[in-house]
């Protein structure tokens, strides 16, 4: 069981503890406020309890308070089944049995208001009778109205593993058989794969699998709105016809699924997990990663192959532009041993340029497809794992590395945030580095036309050094592009007050004035 699953189970146990009292064998407690009492005779298994709509199976013996027996499933040698919370039994049963665990045996004392009331049930139960039921909960089948509109009812036949459910982007492998109400089979597959969001056969399948666990098997009762509607569906090949407004009964098993995630918010780098990795650690910026790698074009042309056929593993350092950006970002979401398939849009690949690779030329604007296995990695030390001198040294080292402008800015905050352990000299050193790094990063952001971020970085510098001319100049450039011309003019005038002979600032002042006049 992994850490995430343990946390989920702990949360569920907490919810269980909060929502129902804890019973000890031989102890009697009241349920609710209407006089229903429960005495635990034998503890059940686990923590789960049935819910409204579930089909429960019980053995019971019913007596009056004087011990007179009036009914017993045990005497008949037949278990009793009913749907919980549907009014099929007296209210005391509906309220009491939903507190029981599988295998539990309890004695319920039920007041007349939750039993047969003033009328009783002739000839065995007199008016206003308090009843006692010795009940054993043998099992239950979970039945859920999964869309909350009566359109799809799901009855669990075989429980699944763990707690995760597939999402819209995931690719699921299922087995299913769909029948009409008279038992006619209209569709059957022993293994079909589809993307959850795209659906398959009828809308009910994608709705249902999103509520299922791996290995779970269910029986769905599907109303026409989640089947084939008022029109039905004609027969086609091996698929049978579905009449208009037909209700379907579908046996569905979720065999497995492949998790698909969006690595970037713009959905242009997509990762499909083919094999789950180990543990919970993932590479960070500056990690040395070793991978098996195959890169392909849309037509299947292989342009890169590393770590296969006795070839050495491909080794690179993350966030150092040693591979395309999309691959870099995806690797930092993977675990050791994970195997994934990546789809990378041109913006995160080789862009609009042609690129000559090891085995083929990648044309401009190509979508890239990678098969990658993360064999191992050695992480960069995190800033919280360093002492103060190490943080300052790391920040300085990053500033001096290649790709200075962007890299330095990106790493600055990571290593040189003030902390309580910094001496006065160390604070001065870190301030100098922080100013330099943020200015470099701001220049890079201006080139990338990320003007909002450039403005924020310059503001950070000015919070440390209010008279920094470079910060005022670059923030003014950002303001001009953001059409905040008044703010740009304020920054330029302040910069000229500090350095009246600065040629770049004078030129920017001229640009600002021209734009202001154009607006007026």
């Amino acid at each position: 069981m992994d850490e995430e699953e343990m946390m989920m189970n702990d949360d569920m146990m907490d919810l269980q503890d909060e929502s129902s009292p804890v019973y000890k064998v031989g102890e009697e407690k009241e349920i609710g406020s209407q006089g229903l009492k429960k005495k635990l005779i034998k503890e059940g298994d686990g923590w789960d309890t049935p819910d409204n709509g579930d089909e429960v199976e019980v053995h019971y013996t019913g007596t009056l308070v004087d011990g007179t027996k009036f009914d017993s499933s045990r005497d008949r040698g037949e278990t009793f089944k009913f749907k919980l919370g549907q009014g099929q039994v007296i209210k005391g049963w509906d309220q009491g049995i939903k507190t029981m665990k599988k295998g539990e045996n309890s004695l319920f004392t039920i007041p007349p208001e939750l039993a047969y009331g003033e009328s009783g049930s002739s000839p065995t139960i007199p008016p206003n009778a308090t009843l006692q039921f010795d009940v054993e909960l043998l099992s239950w089948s979970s039945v859920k109205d999964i869309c909350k509109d009566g359109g799809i009812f799901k009855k669990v036949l075989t429980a699944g593993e763990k707690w995760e459910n597939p999402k819209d982007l995931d690719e699921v492998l299922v087995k299913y058989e769909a029948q009409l109400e008279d038992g006619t089979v209209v569709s059957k597959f022993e293994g079909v794969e589809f993307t959850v969001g795209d659906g398959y056969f009828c809308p009910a399948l994608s709705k249902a699998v999103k509520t299922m666990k791996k290995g779970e098997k269910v029986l769905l009762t599907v109303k026409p709105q989640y089947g084939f509607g008022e029109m039905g569906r004609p027969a086609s090949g091996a698929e049978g016809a579905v009449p208009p407004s037909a209700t379907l009964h579908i046996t569905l098993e979720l065999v497995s699924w492949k998790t698909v995630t969006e690595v970037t918010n713009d959905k242009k780098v997509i990762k499909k997990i083919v094999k789950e990795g180990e543990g919970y650690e993932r590479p960070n910026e500056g990690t040395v990663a070793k991978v098996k790698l195959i890169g392909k074009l849309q037509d299947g042309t292989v342009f890169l192959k590393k770590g296969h056929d006795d070839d050495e593993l491909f080794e690179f350092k993350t966030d150092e532009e040693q591979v395309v950006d999309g691959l870099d970002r995806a690797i930092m979401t993977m675990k050791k041993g994970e195997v994934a398939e990546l789809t990378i849009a041109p913006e995160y690949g080789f862009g609009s340029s042609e690129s000559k690779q090891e085995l083929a030329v990648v044309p401009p604007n190509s979508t890239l497809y990678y098969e990658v296995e993360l064999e191992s990695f050695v992480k960069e030390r995190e800033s919280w794992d360093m002492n103060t001198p190490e943080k300052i040294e790391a920040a300085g080292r990053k500033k001096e590395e290649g790709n200075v402008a962007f890299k330095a800015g990106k790493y600055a905050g990571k290593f040189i945030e003030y902390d309580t352990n910094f001496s006065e000299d160390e604070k001065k050193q870190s301030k100098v580095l922080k100013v330099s790094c943020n200015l470099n990063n701001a220049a890079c952001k201006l080139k990338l036309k990320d003007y909002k971020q450039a403005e924020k970085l310059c503001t950070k510098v000015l919070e440390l050094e209010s008279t920094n001319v470079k910060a005022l100049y670059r923030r003014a450039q950002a303001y001009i592009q953001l059409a905040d011309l008044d703010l740009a003019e304020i920054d330029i005038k302040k910069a000229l007050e500090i350095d009246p002979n600065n040629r770049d600032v004078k030129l920017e002042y001229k640009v600002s004035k021209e734009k202001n006049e154009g607006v007026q």
Side-chain angles (χ1 to χ4, degrees), residues 467-470 472-473 491-507 509:
T467 59
N468 189 294
V469 173
K470 278 188 180 179
L472 289 165
Y473 167 61
D491 278 355
I492 291 170
K493 285 182 176 178
K494 187 171 181 181
L496 287 173
E497 284 175 13
I498 300 164
D499 186 2
N501 298 316
N502 191 305
R503 183 172 175 274
D504 289 333
V505 179
K506 284 180 177 179
L507 286 172
Y509 185 43

Side-chain angles (χ1 to χ4, degrees), residues 176 185-189 200-201 228 232-242:
Y176 77 89
V185 176
V186 293
S187 184
K188 181 176 180 179
F189 276 93
Y200 192 82
F201 180 61
F228 292 94
R233 186 194 73 168
S236 175
E239 299 277 291
V242 178

